[in-house]
């Protein structure tokens, strides 16, 4: 590999891409678009929250007598008020008469035995009567236990865990208090890592495939291949267009940080704790994962006979790269369980899995496991780059029709 | 000394044989014509020399050494299937290709401008390539190929798409390359250019070498025993002349049965006033048609 050629190609690809109007529009416009989109998405959320936390009115009929409610009584539970009616007919009249009453409930005579409660709401209501089930459940609990327990015990039955405090026991036995949101704080790095990795791979992958298709279209392939080897061309493109992708993501991050006062406090209202092991290893994993996925995308994408087919072929790898996200609940639940350990050793899933595991509990990942997984990933990356360079060369020289897979395999093997 | 040598090179694409045991040598400083009809294997041979495709069998030597990437930096290549980055400015494309060919950052721009000047396109350096005419684009490609001043210049169909004026410009460029000691491998269908420019040729047909040698050798081999005679007054009949034919320009073509020098002696002895007496060499076009025609005829 002649690195000066790689440097020339990388610089050309980077400068060409960042000068493009489309690139500038996406780079500078994406945060604004995201902000606009988020604002639009927040409107219904706000409206629902208003409805959720505003005071609601319900009717209730206690045919069982177990709740010891007297007709005409009004009982308050957090954000809800329950008007007690003597019969279902009276409750129904109140529902039809008074718009403020959202629903009414009938606790049937043998409720203690069967648990049956009927819910009623207006015919035109979009949401059924059980929208207020949490408030009703709390009311039922309160009324059932208040007769037989002290007020404090009754309160604990209704709200058993009002204040949770967390501690971590370190390997030396020391107990360290942990804020309630620390678990979220530990996820900031891995989630950010996966986001950055896949955004970079997707953006750069798109640029890689487009650049290659342009060269095929403009018939500059022979000129390029006569001046540099396919390995050098591919490496140059990976570096240059990867740089363009990374630059884009960096600009987005910087723009987000620039409005930190406005957004960060809202997005991250808790402590961000990142173990140093995860911090140190992330850049290495990021670069290896990018080279691994990027080269595979470029290699297979180059076999496409047109831009669309190239994108379809190349993007298969981007999709496969999201495997750790599919297993995310399992990794979060058991960061050192069998599945997490297996995913650590698979090159496609290793980067994200390792960062997740180290961020969640660095003490549970052995050094040999980290080194072994990284070594395997690097070896796989070297292999992927080599195989992809061969495919890339075949792809570049490909005519308007693609030879069958068997012939492609033979060509791949015959190249030096 | 040979700067390019192909020994028994074979190449197939699936069932189609593109080259069948091709062996040729190109001498340093020569203009070498690689000729043949469409599909004869010329471009495949050139792509093998440039390591774009690899031979199935055989040996390729560059500057006396086995083909290696480092050696290719000393070779410029204008491919038959060629193009440029259409959205880029001419100067940017030239500098990129120059840098890829090993020109240093400090000199690459100046060299690009010099060569644009040489092909008469200095004033378009800031234009995007897509704004150029086909001929202009062709000249930019040639300038891009030659700007690094490679020791060997491989030009595959450099005259295609050029008008006579630009064709003459490229011809004079090739002549200046030869004057400066650079080797040129030229693939073209324009036989007049071959006669003017080439020192030696190889003629391919169906992937096989069917004729090769210096221009003089090849033309002599395919020339019938004929002379072209310009004279004043009557031309007497002498021994050794089987037939005579008057050509359009007033000259005579004599078909000989004896050596030309002897016939000339007899004519002068018989009192003929001869102002010109030269062998009627076959043209490259005739040779091409004759040789390739024989090979390409269905059997």
């Amino acid at each position: 590999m002649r690195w000066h050629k790689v440097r020339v190609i990388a610089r050309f690809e980077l400068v060409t891409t960042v000068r493009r109007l489309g690139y500038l529009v996406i780079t500078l416009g994406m945060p604004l678009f995201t902000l606009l989109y988020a604002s639009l998405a927040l409107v219904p959320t706000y409206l629902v929250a208003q409805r959720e936390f505003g005071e609601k009115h319900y009717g209730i009929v206690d045919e069982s007598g177990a709740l010891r409610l007297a007709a005409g009584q009004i009982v308050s539970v957090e954000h809800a008020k329950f008007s007690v009616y003597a019969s279902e007919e009276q409750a129904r009249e109140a529902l039809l008469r008074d718009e403020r009453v959202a629903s009414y409930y009938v606790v049937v005579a043998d409720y203690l035995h069967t648990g049956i409660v009927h819910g009623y709401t207006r015919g035109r209501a979009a949401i059924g009567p059980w929208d207020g089930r949490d408030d009703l459940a709390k009311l039922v609990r309160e009324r059932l236990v208040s007769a037989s327990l002290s007020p404090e015990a009754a309160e604990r039955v209704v709200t058993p865990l009002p204040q949770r405090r967390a501690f971590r026991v370190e390997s030396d036995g020391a107990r360290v208090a942990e804020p309630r949101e620390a678990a979220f704080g530990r996820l900031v790095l891995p989630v950010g890592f996966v986001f950055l990795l896949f955004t970079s791979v997707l953006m750069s992958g798109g640029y890689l495939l487009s650049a290659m298709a342009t060269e095929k279209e403009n018939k500059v392939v022979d000129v390029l291949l006569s001046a540099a080897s396919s390995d050098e061309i591919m490496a140059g493109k990976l570096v240059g267009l990867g740089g363009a992708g990374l630059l884009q993501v960096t600009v987005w991050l910087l723009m987000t940080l620039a409005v930190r006062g406005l957004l960060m406090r809202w997005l991250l209202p808790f402590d961000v704790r990142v173990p140093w092991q995860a911090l140190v290893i992330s850049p290495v994993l990021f670069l290896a994962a990018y080279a691994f996925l990027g080269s595979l995308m470029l290699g297979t994408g180059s076999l496409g006979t047109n831009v669309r087919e190239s994108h379809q072929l190349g993007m298969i790898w981007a999709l496969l790269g999201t495997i750790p996200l599919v297993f995310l609940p399992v990794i979060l639940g058991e960061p050192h369980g069998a599945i997490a350990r297996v995913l650590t050793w698979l090159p496609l899933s290793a980067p994200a899995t390792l960062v997740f595991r180290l961020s969640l509990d660095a003490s549970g990942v052995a050094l040999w496991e980290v080194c072994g997984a990284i070594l395997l990933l690097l070896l796989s990356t070297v292999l992927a780059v080599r195989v992809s360079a061969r495919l890339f060369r075949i792809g570049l020289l490909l005519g308007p029709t693609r030879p069958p897979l068997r012939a492609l395999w033979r060509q791949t093997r015959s190249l030096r | 000394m040979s700067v390019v040598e192909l020994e028994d090179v074979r190449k197939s694409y699936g069932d189609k044989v593109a080259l069948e045991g091709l062996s040729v040598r190109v001498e340093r400083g020569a203009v070498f014509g690689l000729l043949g009809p469409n599909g004869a294997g010329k471009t495949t041979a050139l792509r093998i020399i440039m390591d774009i495709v690899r031979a199935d069998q055989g040996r390729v030597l560059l500057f006396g050494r086995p083909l290696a990437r480092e050696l290719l930096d000393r070779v410029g290549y204008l491919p038959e299937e060629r193009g440029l980055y259409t959205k880029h400015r001419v100067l940017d494309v030239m500098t990129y290709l120059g840098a890829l060919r090993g020109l240093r950052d400090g000199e690459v721009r100046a060299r690009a401008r010099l060569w644009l000047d040489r092909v008469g396109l200095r004033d378009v350096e800031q234009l995007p390539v897509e704004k150029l005419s086909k001929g202009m684009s062709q000249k930019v490609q040639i300038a891009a190929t030659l700007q690094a001043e490679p020791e060997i210049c491989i030009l595959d169909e450099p005259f295609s798409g050029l008008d006579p004026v630009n064709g003459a410009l490229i011809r004079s460029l090739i002549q200046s390359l030869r004057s400066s000691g650079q080797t040129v491998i030229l693939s073209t269908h324009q036989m007049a250019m071959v006669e003017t420019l080439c020192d030696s040729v190889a003629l391919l047909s169906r992937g096989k070498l069917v004729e090769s040698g210096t221009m003089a050798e090849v033309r002599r081999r395919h020339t019938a025993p004929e002379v072209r005679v310009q004279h004043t007054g009557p031309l007497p009949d002498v021994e050794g002349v089987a037939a005579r034919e008057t050509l359009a320009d007033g000259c005579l073509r004599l078909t000989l049965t004896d050596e030309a020098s002897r016939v000339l002696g007899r004519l002068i002895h018989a009192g003929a006033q001869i102002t010109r007496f030269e062998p009627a060499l076959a043209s490259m076009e005739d040779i091409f048609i004759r040789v390739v025609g024989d090979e390409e005829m269905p059997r």
Side-chain angles (χ1 to χ4, degrees), chain A residues 131-201:
Chain A
D131 190 29
R133 65 186 177 278
D134 289 343
D135 295 323
L136 177 65
K138 198 166 186 187
L139 171 74
V140 170
R141 273 199 298 268
E142 268 181 15
R143 303 300 297 180
L144 285 176
V145 299
S146 62
S148 50
L149 296 174
S150 69
E152 277 183 345
E155 179 60 30
R156 292 292 74 82
V157 170
V158 174
T159 317
L161 301 171
Q163 289 200 38
R164 297 191 297 272
R165 287 176 191 167
F167 297 88
R168 289 176 75 84
V169 180
E170 301 293 338
S171 50
D172 59 358
R175 292 164 300 172
V176 182
E178 192 172 65
R180 204 171 146 190
E181 302 86 353
F184 292 105
R186 281 197 297 278
L187 288 178
V188 167
L189 177 77
V191 169
F193 176 87
V194 172
F195 170 77
L196 283 184
L197 177 63
F198 289 111
T199 315
S200 304
V201 166

Side-chain angles (χ1 to χ4, degrees), chain A residues 334-408:
Chain A
E334 281 188 279
H336 311 307
I339 291 179
R341 282 177 193 275
V342 169
L343 290 174
T344 304
W345 290 93
L346 300 178
L348 264 176
S349 56
T353 311
L354 258 181
V355 176
F356 264 110
R357 289 183 64 196
L358 286 170
S359 303
L360 292 170
D361 176 20
S363 64
V365 191
L367 184 63
W368 66 265
E369 206 176 356
V370 176
C371 294
I374 290 179
L375 188 68
L376 191 65
L377 175 64
L378 292 176
L379 287 175
S380 310
T381 304
V382 171
L383 187 69
V385 170
R386 290 192 73 87
V387 172
S388 298
R390 289 179 176 206
L391 288 176
F392 180 65
R393 185 187 175 92
I394 294 169
L396 282 180
L397 297 171
L398 216 57
T401 53
R402 190 176 48 252
L405 276 176
R406 217 165 157 191
L408 280 176

Side-chain angles (χ1 to χ4, degrees), chain A residues 2 5 7-9 11-12 16 19 215 218-220 222-229 393 397 416, chain B residues 47 50-52 54 69-70 73 77 79 81-86 88 92 96-97 99-101 105:
Chain A
R2 290 164 299 175
K5 302 234 173 194
R7 184 175 59 83
V8 169
I9 296 168
R11 191 174 56 190
F12 178 77
T16 300
R19 271 189 191 166
E215 274 161 1
N218 289 338
K219 299 178 179 176
V220 286
D222 272 21
V223 175
L224 278 183
L225 280 175
S226 68
S229 70
R393 185 187 175 92
L397 297 171
R416 277 187 296 234
Chain B
R47 289 176 108 196
M50 292 311 297
D51 199 31
I52 293 170
R54 275 139 194 183
R69 271 274 150 196
E70 289 68 30
D73 279 347
Y77 178 48
E81 174 130 316
R82 53 184 168 250
L84 296 165
Y85 295 90
T86 51
H88 290 66
D92 292 341
Y96 174 50
L97 297 177
L100 261 185
R101 282 273 164 215
D105 287 350

Side-chain angles (χ1 to χ4, degrees), chain A residues 65-77:
Chain A
L67 306 185
R68 292 172 294 103
L69 293 168
Q73 192 183 352
I74 295 175
V75 188
S76 294
V77 177

